[in-house]
Amino acid sequence: MIDKPRDYCGIFGMQNHPDAAFLTYYGLHALQHRGQESAGIVTSHFDEDQNRWVMPAHRDFGLVLNVFDDQNIFENELKGTAAIGHNRYSTTGAARNPANIQPFRVHYRSGNIAIGHNGNLANAKQLRERFREEGVLFQSTSDTELILHLISHSKKETQLEQVLDALGQVEGAYSLVMLTDDKLIAVRDPNGFRPLALGKVDDSYCVASETCAFDIIDAEFIRDIEPGEVLVMDQDATVDSEPESYHLDAEYGTDTSQCIFEYVYFSRPDSKIFGENVDKVRRNLGKYLAKEHPIDEVIRNAPGDKKPIVISVPDSSNTAALGYVHENQKLGRECKFEIGLIRNHYVGRTFISPGQESRNQKVRTKFNTVQGVIEGRSVIIVDDSIVRGTTSRYLVNMIKQDNPAEVHFLVSSPPIISPCYYGMDFPTPKELMANRFDRDIEAMAEEIGVDSLRYLSPDGLVNAVKEANVSPKGYCTACFTEEYPVPVNFGIEKEENEII
């Protein structure tokens, strides 16, 4: 139904707080946009009756509010002052396998350990084949399980040394939260593909994929966890004591490759990731879109008595559209921002209507147009990206039914030409519209039914992000450029090695 790439998950962790599980629940709710297939929380505490550490877990398919809909889960089940949580999307074929719901937890010779993962291991196939030859049995199809096997097979003496040893053997994209009997561990891979932030609430540390998860619990953002950093917080950790910090070596150089698509689409606009507010960066994308495609070069037949209007495809494109309008107005070009598309926020991923449902009907369950805004106007639609182009075509068709004077489509990112292998779910290359039409923009415009189609250039994208974010760190643009910063085994099969 949603013609967009999908991020595979959001992660959250809390250490040394009496309401660890409950705050993790709220954190996962704020991160719901990063994964809607399943949710889970694992906690840790010392059980006096059993005289041992225990790790209760609650995991199930569904949204966070549905999975944790009983107060007894927090009062009687998820006990402890430390917790980690995970929201998850899944790939086709393994979508309903309960063994893949995270966080995973195991007990082995060094104690208990649980893990939640956002990303994708580039060398997962080689690791899986190695373990199969050694007779290792797998419980899931997720590459996250490989990290647990690497930890349990490590010959190092302490559990922390085993974790560091395992991390030294994996490649690719991974932001992790791990829970041991007495420690919360947060990790970002050396390239820093996926975001992960450190915060504090009351006197306790917390970590999350995005800072919007801090806002919901009144936590304060401290800093990003650095690329290659392993941050260790023990059971007595307070914000008055610095967590232990270790750093992983980057096998493929030390260049940071933060996912630029987090700014374009994935992250919430009220989050701060990679050192900058998402809203600010998206407005800058709109600004650069106006520089490359000013409205007076786009519009062809504007009615003399009506200003051209700019509408966004809600919600991720709202701020880019505002940035586009503001920059045009600043330069004296007439246009105005209008709400021409209304999004229905109550449509679930499994929405079914009676009878054989068409894609057009699916789009209509999610969007509707405002006829009085569109009729007789020159309309510019701003969207953050086009993947297959199917939803774009149906949206344009809906808008044209309201009799605009002309319709143009602007995209605040370059054409997507290659899949992501670092933790996002993209269609295959041949399914991407830019590839189907051999990157012929005019043919693509005809396909979705607009008078013109224009994209932000790859240089414009990078320059817009770097102007808004003064951080010197670099970005991964592989989905737009086919330039992969970390080598990937392209023989990976989703059914065999599920990306999470």
Side-chain angles (χ1 to χ4, degrees):
M1 178 175 175
I2 302 174
D3 187 20
K4 294 286 184 183
R6 299 186 308 186
D7 198 355
Y8 278 107
C9 58
I11 54 177
F12 188 92
M14 173 66 65
Q15 178 65 302
N16 193 25
H17 195 287
D19 296 319
F22 201 59
L23 293 178
T24 299
Y25 159 77
Y26 275 113
L28 291 182
H29 179 65
L31 297 171
Q32 188 72 85
H33 60 289
R34 299 187 73 91
Q36 299 176 34
E37 183 71 35
S38 62
I41 295 175
V42 173
T43 60
S44 177
H45 71 278
F46 189 81
D47 189 302
E48 298 289 349
D49 294 333
Q50 301 183 56
N51 195 34
R52 65 183 179 90
W53 288 91
V54 294
M55 276 192 178
H58 188 88
R59 299 169 295 198
D60 206 347
F61 293 109
L63 302 178
V64 174
L65 294 178
N66 301 125
V67 173
F68 301 96
D69 61 351
D70 186 345
Q71 186 73 23
N72 289 325
I73 295 171
F74 301 98
E75 294 177 353
N76 302 319
E77 186 178 348
L78 294 176
K79 298 178 180 179
T81 59
I84 61 172
H86 187 273
N87 288 336
R88 175 178 175 273
Y89 267 131
S90 65
T91 56
T92 303
R96 304 299 294 180
N97 183 353
N100 288 328
I101 301 177
Q102 294 190 35
F104 293 159
R105 59 173 180 169
V106 296
H107 178 80
Y108 73 115
R109 71 185 188 283
S110 296
N112 298 300
I113 190 166
I115 185 172
H117 174 200
N118 177 205
N120 178 40
L121 303 185
N123 64 333
K125 186 175 184 180
Q126 297 95 314
L127 291 172
R128 187 175 290 270
E129 288 174 349
R130 187 186 100 189
F131 281 128
R132 279 176 175 164
E133 290 175 359
E134 295 174 0
V136 172
L137 300 177
F138 291 93
Q139 301 298 315
S140 73
T141 59
S142 169
D143 57 1
T144 309
E145 186 180 354
L146 296 168
I147 301 174
L148 292 177
H149 285 303
L150 288 169
I151 293 171
S152 66
H153 282 68
S154 173
K155 304 300 182 184
K156 300 295 183 179
E157 184 174 345
T158 69
Q159 195 171 38
L160 179 56
E161 288 174 329
Q162 293 161 7
V163 168
L164 294 172
D165 182 33
L167 295 174
Q169 299 177 63
V170 296
E171 302 166 7
Y174 52 92
S175 283
L176 309 171
V177 285
M178 297 187 195
L179 195 60
T180 69
D181 289 332
D182 59 354
K183 291 180 176 61
L184 172 66
I185 303 173
V187 186
R188 272 182 83 195
D189 67 78
N191 287 80
F193 284 105
R194 311 252 67 85
L196 193 60
L198 176 68
K200 63 179 180 180
V201 57
D202 299 327
D203 197 32
S204 305
Y205 283 115
C206 51
V207 294
S209 293
E210 295 181 36
T211 59
C212 62
F214 296 159
D215 298 335
I216 197 172
I217 60 172
D218 289 326
E220 179 184 340
F221 170 69
I222 298 175
R223 65 176 177 87
D224 283 336
I225 293 171
E226 291 296 313
E229 186 175 18
V230 180
L231 209 59
V232 182
M233 294 149 277
D234 65 30
Q235 61 182 329
D236 300 318
T238 67
V239 294
D240 294 327
S241 58
E242 284 290 325
E244 296 178 57
S245 181
Y246 303 85
H247 284 270
L248 305 170
D249 294 329
E251 184 175 349
Y252 298 101
T254 56
D255 290 341
T256 307
S257 306
Q258 299 170 139
C259 173
I260 207 164
F261 214 88
E262 289 279 357
Y263 281 134
V264 171
Y265 172 69
F266 282 128
S267 296
R268 271 177 42 166
D270 53 329
S271 285
K272 183 175 184 178
I273 64 164
F274 305 147
E276 191 51 81
N277 294 321
V278 175
D279 176 84
K280 178 181 176 181
V281 175
R282 286 190 184 156
R283 287 175 189 267
N284 223 43
L285 294 177
K287 170 184 171 181
Y288 270 74
L289 194 62
K291 287 182 175 182
E292 294 186 357
H293 306 292
I295 200 162
D296 50 8
E297 293 182 9
V298 176
I299 296 300
R300 299 173 182 174
N301 302 303
D305 60 335
K306 295 181 179 180
K307 292 181 181 179
I309 63 169
V310 177
I311 67 175
S312 65
V313 179
D315 291 311
S316 56
S317 306
N318 293 348
T319 47
L322 287 169
Y324 180 79
V325 170
H326 178 75
E327 183 66 14
N328 274 290
Q329 291 176 340
K330 188 172 74 172
L331 298 174
R333 302 164 185 147
E334 287 197 340
C335 65
K336 61 185 296 189
F337 177 81
E338 288 281 6
I339 298 175
L341 282 170
I342 303 297
R343 180 184 174 189
N344 182 354
H345 291 84
Y346 302 98
V347 179
R349 294 183 65 241
T350 56
F351 180 89
I352 299 173
S353 66
Q356 187 174 4
E357 188 182 27
S358 68
R359 177 170 289 274
N360 192 15
Q361 186 62 35
K362 288 181 180 180
V363 174
R364 282 199 173 275
T365 63
K366 184 164 184 174
F367 296 105
N368 199 20
T369 59
V370 183
Q371 183 177 3
V373 169
I374 294 169
E375 189 171 12
R377 309 294 286 268
S378 292
V379 177
I380 291 181
I381 306 168
V382 174
D383 202 357
D384 50 75
S385 58
I386 297 178
V387 184
R388 294 181 177 90
T390 49
T391 299
S392 301
R393 183 170 69 249
Y394 286 113
L395 281 175
V396 169
N397 183 58
M398 287 169 57
I399 289 170
K400 290 173 77 171
Q401 289 176 15
D402 290 341
N403 300 314
E406 54 185 325
V407 181
H408 304 271
F409 207 107
L410 270 64
V411 186
S412 61
S413 63
I416 297 174
I417 60 175
S418 51
C420 173
Y421 295 94
Y422 307 125
M424 289 190 249
D425 183 14
F426 273 70
T428 61
K430 65 181 180 181
E431 293 178 285
L432 298 170
M433 186 176 78
N435 292 338
R436 291 203 324 270
F437 291 90
D438 198 26
R439 306 176 200 179
D440 184 331
I441 301 298
E442 290 188 5
M444 292 158 64
E446 185 177 349
E447 166 69 9
I448 64 174
V450 291
D451 294 284
S452 72
L453 170 65
R454 299 161 194 258
Y455 286 89
L456 185 63
S457 69
D459 287 343
L461 172 65
V462 173
N463 291 336
V465 171
K466 288 188 174 180
E467 181 186 283
N469 188 349
V470 296
S471 168
K473 295 182 172 65
Y475 296 92
C476 175
T477 60
C479 53
F480 305 118
T481 62
E482 294 182 296
E483 297 174 2
Y484 293 97
V486 173
V488 176
N489 186 324
F490 293 97
I492 289 177
E493 293 293 336
K494 284 187 178 180
E495 293 79 13
E496 180 177 318
N497 174 54
E498 185 185 14
I499 309 171
I500 51 92

Short mmCIF file of all heavy atoms in Angstrom, two decimals, residues 204-245:
data_model
loop_
_atom_site.label_atom_id
_atom_site.label_comp_id
_atom_site.label_asym_id
_atom_site.label_seq_id
_atom_site.Cartn_x
_atom_site.Cartn_y
_atom_site.Cartn_z
N SER A 204 18.96 8.86 35.32
CA SER A 204 19.28 7.63 34.61
C SER A 204 19.57 7.87 33.13
O SER A 204 19.05 8.83 32.54
CB SER A 204 18.10 6.65 34.73
OG SER A 204 17.77 6.42 36.08
N TYR A 205 20.36 6.98 32.55
CA TYR A 205 20.68 7.04 31.12
C TYR A 205 19.62 6.31 30.30
O TYR A 205 19.04 5.30 30.73
CB TYR A 205 22.05 6.41 30.85
CG TYR A 205 23.22 7.28 31.22
CD1 TYR A 205 24.09 6.92 32.25
CD2 TYR A 205 23.45 8.48 30.54
CE1 TYR A 205 25.17 7.71 32.58
CE2 TYR A 205 24.53 9.28 30.87
CZ TYR A 205 25.40 8.89 31.89
OH TYR A 205 26.47 9.70 32.22
N CYS A 206 19.42 6.81 29.08
CA CYS A 206 18.58 6.12 28.12
C CYS A 206 19.18 6.29 26.72
O CYS A 206 19.95 7.24 26.48
CB CYS A 206 17.14 6.63 28.13
SG CYS A 206 16.97 8.43 28.00
N VAL A 207 18.88 5.39 25.82
CA VAL A 207 19.35 5.47 24.44
C VAL A 207 18.18 5.19 23.51
O VAL A 207 17.25 4.46 23.86
CB VAL A 207 20.50 4.46 24.15
CG1 VAL A 207 21.74 4.81 24.94
CG2 VAL A 207 20.07 3.03 24.43
N ALA A 208 18.21 5.79 22.30
CA ALA A 208 17.10 5.62 21.38
C ALA A 208 17.56 5.90 19.96
O ALA A 208 18.52 6.64 19.73
CB ALA A 208 15.95 6.56 21.73
N SER A 209 16.83 5.32 19.00
CA SER A 209 17.12 5.56 17.59
C SER A 209 16.95 7.03 17.23
O SER A 209 17.69 7.55 16.41
CB SER A 209 16.20 4.71 16.70
OG SER A 209 16.48 3.34 16.84
N GLU A 210 15.94 7.68 17.82
CA GLU A 210 15.68 9.08 17.54
C GLU A 210 15.33 9.82 18.82
O GLU A 210 14.76 9.23 19.76
CB GLU A 210 14.52 9.24 16.55
CG GLU A 210 14.76 8.69 15.17
CD GLU A 210 13.55 8.93 14.27
OE1 GLU A 210 12.90 9.98 14.40
OE2 GLU A 210 13.25 8.03 13.46
N THR A 211 15.61 11.11 18.86
CA THR A 211 15.37 11.88 20.07
C THR A 211 13.90 12.13 20.35
O THR A 211 13.55 12.53 21.47
CB THR A 211 16.11 13.23 20.00
OG1 THR A 211 15.63 13.97 18.87
CG2 THR A 211 17.61 13.04 19.88
N CYS A 212 13.01 11.90 19.38
CA CYS A 212 11.58 12.03 19.67
C CYS A 212 11.16 11.05 20.77
O CYS A 212 10.18 11.29 21.48
CB CYS A 212 10.74 11.81 18.41
SG CYS A 212 10.89 10.18 17.66
N ALA A 213 11.90 9.95 20.92
CA ALA A 213 11.62 8.99 21.99
C ALA A 213 12.01 9.55 23.36
O ALA A 213 11.50 9.12 24.39
CB ALA A 213 12.37 7.68 21.74
N PHE A 214 12.93 10.53 23.39
CA PHE A 214 13.28 11.19 24.65
C PHE A 214 12.19 12.19 25.04
O PHE A 214 11.86 12.35 26.21
CB PHE A 214 14.62 11.92 24.52
CG PHE A 214 15.80 11.03 24.28
CD1 PHE A 214 16.97 11.54 23.74
CD2 PHE A 214 15.76 9.68 24.60
CE1 PHE A 214 18.07 10.73 23.52
CE2 PHE A 214 16.85 8.85 24.40
CZ PHE A 214 18.02 9.38 23.84
N ASP A 215 11.66 12.89 24.04
CA ASP A 215 10.68 13.94 24.32
C ASP A 215 9.45 13.40 25.03
O ASP A 215 8.90 14.04 25.94
CB ASP A 215 10.26 14.64 23.02
CG ASP A 215 11.42 15.33 22.32
OD1 ASP A 215 12.40 15.68 23.01
OD2 ASP A 215 11.35 15.50 21.09
N ILE A 216 9.01 12.23 24.64
CA ILE A 216 7.77 11.68 25.20
C ILE A 216 7.91 11.31 26.67
O ILE A 216 6.92 11.22 27.39
CB ILE A 216 7.32 10.44 24.36
CG1 ILE A 216 5.85 10.11 24.63
CG2 ILE A 216 8.20 9.24 24.62
CD1 ILE A 216 5.29 9.04 23.71
N ILE A 217 9.14 11.10 27.15
CA ILE A 217 9.36 10.76 28.56
C ILE A 217 10.07 11.89 29.29
O ILE A 217 10.60 11.68 30.39
CB ILE A 217 10.16 9.44 28.70
CG1 ILE A 217 11.53 9.54 28.03
CG2 ILE A 217 9.36 8.26 28.14
CD1 ILE A 217 12.45 8.34 28.29
N ASP A 218 10.11 13.07 28.68
CA ASP A 218 10.77 14.23 29.28
C ASP A 218 12.24 13.97 29.57
O ASP A 218 12.78 14.44 30.58
CB ASP A 218 10.06 14.67 30.57
CG ASP A 218 8.71 15.30 30.30
OD1 ASP A 218 8.58 15.98 29.26
OD2 ASP A 218 7.79 15.11 31.12
N ALA A 219 12.88 13.22 28.71
CA ALA A 219 14.31 12.98 28.83
C ALA A 219 15.08 14.08 28.09
O ALA A 219 14.57 14.71 27.16
CB ALA A 219 14.68 11.61 28.27
N GLU A 220 16.30 14.28 28.50
CA GLU A 220 17.16 15.31 27.90
C GLU A 220 18.19 14.65 26.98
O GLU A 220 18.85 13.68 27.36
CB GLU A 220 17.88 16.09 28.99
CG GLU A 220 18.81 17.17 28.48
CD GLU A 220 19.57 17.87 29.58
OE1 GLU A 220 19.12 17.81 30.75
OE2 GLU A 220 20.64 18.46 29.30
N PHE A 221 18.28 15.14 25.77
CA PHE A 221 19.29 14.66 24.83
C PHE A 221 20.68 15.08 25.30
O PHE A 221 20.90 16.25 25.62
CB PHE A 221 19.01 15.23 23.43
CG PHE A 221 20.11 15.01 22.43
CD1 PHE A 221 20.40 13.75 21.95
CD2 PHE A 221 20.85 16.10 21.96
CE1 PHE A 221 21.40 13.55 21.01
CE2 PHE A 221 21.86 15.91 21.03
CZ PHE A 221 22.13 14.64 20.55
N ILE A 222 21.60 14.14 25.35
CA ILE A 222 22.98 14.43 25.74
C ILE A 222 23.86 14.57 24.51
O ILE A 222 24.46 15.61 24.26
CB ILE A 222 23.54 13.34 26.68
CG1 ILE A 222 22.72 13.28 27.97
CG2 ILE A 222 25.02 13.60 26.98
CD1 ILE A 222 23.14 12.15 28.91
N ARG A 223 23.88 13.53 23.69
CA ARG A 223 24.72 13.53 22.49
C ARG A 223 24.40 12.32 21.65
O ARG A 223 23.74 11.37 22.10
CB ARG A 223 26.21 13.54 22.85
CG ARG A 223 26.69 12.27 23.56
CD ARG A 223 28.19 12.30 23.79
NE ARG A 223 28.69 11.16 24.53
CZ ARG A 223 29.06 9.99 24.00
NH1 ARG A 223 28.92 9.80 22.70
NH2 ARG A 223 29.53 9.02 24.76
N ASP A 224 24.88 12.33 20.41
CA ASP A 224 24.84 11.12 19.59
C ASP A 224 25.89 10.14 20.09
O ASP A 224 26.99 10.55 20.51
CB ASP A 224 25.16 11.45 18.12
CG ASP A 224 23.98 12.09 17.41
OD1 ASP A 224 22.84 11.88 17.84
OD2 ASP A 224 24.22 12.79 16.41
N ILE A 225 25.57 8.88 20.06
CA ILE A 225 26.61 7.86 20.24
C ILE A 225 27.44 7.87 18.97
O ILE A 225 26.90 7.86 17.86
CB ILE A 225 25.97 6.49 20.51
CG1 ILE A 225 25.27 6.54 21.88
CG2 ILE A 225 27.01 5.37 20.46
CD1 ILE A 225 24.42 5.34 22.20
N GLU A 226 28.74 7.95 19.11
CA GLU A 226 29.62 8.17 17.98
C GLU A 226 29.72 6.93 17.09
O GLU A 226 29.57 5.80 17.57
CB GLU A 226 31.03 8.55 18.46
CG GLU A 226 31.10 9.92 19.12
CD GLU A 226 30.77 11.02 18.15
OE1 GLU A 226 31.31 11.01 17.01
OE2 GLU A 226 29.96 11.90 18.49
N PRO A 227 29.99 7.11 15.79
CA PRO A 227 30.26 5.95 14.94
C PRO A 227 31.41 5.12 15.51
O PRO A 227 32.46 5.66 15.87
CB PRO A 227 30.66 6.59 13.60
CG PRO A 227 29.95 7.91 13.59
CD PRO A 227 29.99 8.36 15.02
N GLY A 228 31.18 3.81 15.61
CA GLY A 228 32.20 2.92 16.15
C GLY A 228 32.27 2.89 17.65
O GLY A 228 33.11 2.19 18.22
N GLU A 229 31.37 3.59 18.34
CA GLU A 229 31.43 3.65 19.81
C GLU A 229 30.60 2.53 20.44
O GLU A 229 29.50 2.22 19.98
CB GLU A 229 30.93 5.00 20.31
CG GLU A 229 31.10 5.17 21.82
CD GLU A 229 30.72 6.57 22.31
OE1 GLU A 229 30.01 7.28 21.56
OE2 GLU A 229 31.10 6.92 23.43
N VAL A 230 31.15 1.95 21.49
CA VAL A 230 30.46 0.97 22.32
C VAL A 230 30.35 1.59 23.70
O VAL A 230 31.35 1.80 24.39
CB VAL A 230 31.22 -0.37 22.40
CG1 VAL A 230 30.46 -1.37 23.28
CG2 VAL A 230 31.46 -0.94 21.01
N LEU A 231 29.14 1.92 24.11
CA LEU A 231 28.91 2.63 25.36
C LEU A 231 28.34 1.65 26.38
O LEU A 231 27.34 0.98 26.11
CB LEU A 231 27.93 3.78 25.12
CG LEU A 231 28.03 5.02 26.01
CD1 LEU A 231 29.41 5.64 25.90
CD2 LEU A 231 26.96 6.02 25.62
N VAL A 232 28.98 1.56 27.54
CA VAL A 232 28.61 0.56 28.55
C VAL A 232 28.16 1.27 29.82
O VAL A 232 28.91 2.06 30.41
CB VAL A 232 29.79 -0.37 28.86
CG1 VAL A 232 29.38 -1.43 29.88
CG2 VAL A 232 30.31 -1.03 27.59
N MET A 233 26.92 0.97 30.25
CA MET A 233 26.35 1.55 31.47
C MET A 233 25.99 0.42 32.41
O MET A 233 25.16 -0.43 32.07
CB MET A 233 25.10 2.38 31.12
CG MET A 233 25.41 3.61 30.30
SD MET A 233 24.08 4.11 29.16
CE MET A 233 24.41 3.02 27.76
N ASP A 234 26.60 0.39 33.60
CA ASP A 234 26.33 -0.71 34.53
C ASP A 234 25.06 -0.43 35.33
O ASP A 234 24.43 0.62 35.21
CB ASP A 234 27.53 -0.99 35.43
CG ASP A 234 27.87 0.16 36.36
OD1 ASP A 234 26.95 0.91 36.75
OD2 ASP A 234 29.05 0.33 36.69
N GLN A 235 24.69 -1.36 36.21
CA GLN A 235 23.41 -1.30 36.89
C GLN A 235 23.31 -0.13 37.86
O GLN A 235 22.20 0.27 38.23
CB GLN A 235 23.17 -2.61 37.66
CG GLN A 235 24.22 -2.89 38.73
CD GLN A 235 23.99 -4.20 39.43
OE1 GLN A 235 22.85 -4.64 39.57
NE2 GLN A 235 25.05 -4.86 39.86
N ASP A 236 24.43 0.44 38.26
CA ASP A 236 24.42 1.57 39.17
C ASP A 236 24.69 2.88 38.46
O ASP A 236 24.91 3.91 39.11
CB ASP A 236 25.47 1.36 40.28
CG ASP A 236 25.21 0.10 41.09
OD1 ASP A 236 24.02 -0.14 41.41
OD2 ASP A 236 26.16 -0.64 41.36
N ALA A 237 24.67 2.87 37.12
CA ALA A 237 25.04 4.06 36.35
C ALA A 237 24.07 5.20 36.62
O ALA A 237 22.85 5.02 36.60
CB ALA A 237 25.06 3.73 34.86
N THR A 238 24.62 6.37 36.88
CA THR A 238 23.84 7.60 37.00
C THR A 238 24.47 8.63 36.08
O THR A 238 25.59 8.47 35.60
CB THR A 238 23.82 8.14 38.43
OG1 THR A 238 25.14 8.58 38.79
CG2 THR A 238 23.35 7.08 39.42
N VAL A 239 23.73 9.70 35.84
CA VAL A 239 24.24 10.73 34.94
C VAL A 239 25.42 11.49 35.53
O VAL A 239 26.06 12.29 34.84
CB VAL A 239 23.11 11.70 34.55
CG1 VAL A 239 22.05 10.98 33.73
CG2 VAL A 239 22.49 12.36 35.78
N ASP A 240 25.71 11.24 36.81
CA ASP A 240 26.89 11.87 37.42
C ASP A 240 28.17 11.12 37.09
O ASP A 240 29.27 11.63 37.32
CB ASP A 240 26.73 11.93 38.95
CG ASP A 240 25.60 12.87 39.35
OD1 ASP A 240 25.39 13.87 38.64
OD2 ASP A 240 24.93 12.59 40.37
N SER A 241 28.02 9.91 36.57
CA SER A 241 29.19 9.10 36.21
C SER A 241 29.20 8.86 34.71
O SER A 241 28.18 8.51 34.12
CB SER A 241 29.18 7.76 36.96
OG SER A 241 28.00 7.04 36.66
N GLU A 242 30.34 9.04 34.07
CA GLU A 242 30.46 8.82 32.63
C GLU A 242 30.40 7.33 32.31
O GLU A 242 31.08 6.52 32.97
CB GLU A 242 31.77 9.40 32.11
CG GLU A 242 31.79 10.91 31.98
CD GLU A 242 30.89 11.39 30.86
OE1 GLU A 242 30.79 10.71 29.82
OE2 GLU A 242 30.27 12.45 31.04
N PRO A 243 29.62 6.91 31.31
CA PRO A 243 29.65 5.50 30.90
C PRO A 243 31.02 5.13 30.34
O PRO A 243 31.76 5.99 29.83
CB PRO A 243 28.58 5.44 29.80
CG PRO A 243 27.78 6.68 29.94
CD PRO A 243 28.68 7.70 30.52
N GLU A 244 31.34 3.85 30.45
CA GLU A 244 32.56 3.37 29.80
C GLU A 244 32.37 3.45 28.29
O GLU A 244 31.31 3.12 27.78
CB GLU A 244 32.85 1.92 30.20
CG GLU A 244 33.14 1.70 31.67
CD GLU A 244 33.35 0.24 31.96
OE1 GLU A 244 34.25 -0.38 31.33
OE2 GLU A 244 32.61 -0.31 32.79
N SER A 245 33.42 3.87 27.59
CA SER A 245 33.33 4.02 26.14
C SER A 245 34.48 3.29 25.47
O SER A 245 35.65 3.47 25.85
CB SER A 245 33.35 5.50 25.76
OG SER A 245 33.25 5.66 24.36
#
